[in-house]
Each structure stands twice: as structure tokens, then as C-alpha cells.
Amino acid sequence: MELNEKDVSTVFKALCDENRVLILKYLMSGEKCACRLLEDLDIAQSTLSHHMKILTDSGIVSGRKEGKWMHYSVSEAGIDVAVAYLNALKGQ
């Protein structure tokens, strides 16, 4: 796998914040509505939007709109890319 510095940094930016890691932990049990994440995390909607943009831009999380709410889930393909980047950096 060729390492594109911009793509690699986007993925790891998503993983370098405690709140985003916590969001990923919540999403590991399945898809969650943004409304549920707001309740569970006790954060402002603007803060959640900021974190979700970074996570979705990285490809690690995918979102779908249903009515007025977004529903988020972990993207297996995005996780595979992050693992491939780590392996490439390791030299495998």
C-alpha cells in the first residue's frame, strides 16, 4: 500500500482525540443516532458535529441521514484502511 501523507494524517487525526475514541467505543456496539450520542456523551451538538466530521472524513465512521437526524456507525472498510496504514508504516 502506498502511503499518502495527507490520507494517513487524516486517519490518525481522527484517532488522536479522547472524545473521538470514546465515540468510536460507543459505535462499536452498533449504529447510533446523533441524538443518542449527545445524551450519552453529554456534549453540545456543535461539538459532536465537529468530532463526527473528522471521523467521517477519515472514513473510520460512516453516517446516514434519517429524517432530521444522522445515524453513525463504524466503517469496517475504514478500519481496514487504518490497519493497512499501520502495517505499511511497520514495513509489512
Side-chain angles (χ1 to χ4, degrees):
M1 164 176 268
E2 184 178 330
L3 290 178
N4 174 299
E5 292 83 6
K6 184 175 179 359
D7 293 340
V8 173
S9 64
T10 299
V11 167
F12 291 108
K13 176 183 179 180
L15 300 173
C16 73
D17 181 272
E18 290 177 25
N19 289 317
R20 290 191 287 273
V21 172
L22 182 60
I23 290 167
L24 286 172
K25 285 175 66 176
Y26 277 104
L27 295 177
M28 287 172 62
S29 64
E31 183 180 75
K32 301 277 186 298
C33 175
C35 58
R36 178 68 186 262
L37 291 170
L38 286 170
E39 291 172 6
D40 291 346
L41 298 170
D42 193 31
I43 59 175
Q45 189 275 329
S46 59
T47 302
L48 179 64
S49 291
H50 169 74
H51 289 308
M52 297 317 293
K53 177 166 177 27
I54 292 170
L55 287 165
T56 56
D57 285 351
S58 74
I60 293 174
V61 169
S62 59
R64 66 174 183 84
K65 190 167 179 103
E66 185 176 299
K68 70 175 188 168
W69 291 106
M70 287 296 292
H71 295 259
Y72 296 101
S73 59
V74 173
S75 166
E76 292 295 323
I79 297 296
D80 290 344
V81 167
V83 170
Y85 286 158
L86 280 174
N87 284 330
L89 289 168
K90 187 177 171 185
Q92 292 184 342

